[in-house]
Amino acid sequence: MDCIFCKIAAGQIPCEKIYEDENVLAFLDIGPLSEGHTLVIPKQHFTKIHECPAQLLAQIGSVLPKVAGAVFKGMTSDGYNVLCNNGKAAGQLVEHIHFHIIPRIAGDGVFTQWPAKKYQPGKVEKISEKIRAKL
Ligand code: 5GP
Ligand code: ZN
């Protein structure tokens, strides 16, 4: 499979490594939104969160506080975003699950849009039912 993150996980392509264990790797993003922008990936290839075994996601989840804390403290940032794009429509360019940890400084303008909307009366119940039916 021609996957850049599989190649990084296998050591075939270099990366600036932050953390590694048997199942999880964290490294600096080559195109950072802010200095210290870090990616956390499973070494095994899955494309989207809902396709990934819960146990592997739990292993990634157990690494996130360690890496996020190190990014936050190491970059002396004011906060950070943890972001996981799933699918092209959501902005996923590399089709291997990855969690972005993006250090933020107050007023840095990294994300300027959050286009929040409102539900029309009666809609919220219908939407929640559609989702619960797929659990
Ligand atoms: P996505 O848009 O898929 O959520 O984000 C993919 C991220 O991977 C981008 O932020 C991009 O800069 C990063 N990226 C793509 N190719 C490489 C690479 O070869 N090395 C590293 N370190 N990061 C990469
Ligand atoms: Zn992959």
Side-chain angles (χ1 to χ4, degrees):
M1 194 191 307
D2 196 28
C3 170
I4 191 111
F5 286 180
C6 279
K7 287 179 182 163
I8 287 175
Q12 291 161 1
I13 290 179
C15 70
E16 195 60 42
K17 199 179 291 181
I18 299 292
Y19 171 88
E20 181 174 21
D21 65 28
E22 198 187 335
N23 302 299
V24 181
L25 177 67
F27 53 96
L28 290 184
D29 191 305
I30 207 169
L33 292 185
S34 62
E35 287 185 359
H37 181 164
T38 299
L39 301 174
V40 182
I41 69 166
K43 288 186 173 175
Q44 208 182 335
H45 183 96
F46 293 96
T47 300
K48 297 186 180 73
I49 282 187
H50 70 275
E51 297 163 351
C52 184
Q55 198 187 347
L56 181 53
L57 274 174
Q59 284 163 335
I60 299 169
S62 70
V63 164
L64 279 175
K66 182 195 279 286
V67 176
V71 170
F72 177 62
K73 292 172 197 162
M75 299 313 296
T76 54
S77 57
D78 299 321
Y80 55 93
N81 295 100
V82 177
L83 179 68
C84 180
N85 298 326
N86 289 259
K88 275 198 178 64
Q92 185 177 21
L93 297 176
V94 177
E95 293 186 329
H96 180 131
I97 294 176
H98 50 281
F99 290 82
H100 297 259
I101 300 172
I102 304 163
R104 300 295 304 276
I105 302 294
D108 62 13
V110 168
F111 296 113
T112 53
Q113 284 198 324
W114 188 268
K117 300 176 178 58
K118 283 196 164 64
Y119 286 113
Q120 293 301 315
K123 188 94 189 262
V124 73
E125 296 84 355
K126 287 183 185 139
I127 297 284
S128 64
E129 185 48 42
K130 272 191 195 180
I131 297 171
R132 279 195 300 268
K134 299 294 182 190
L135 284 176

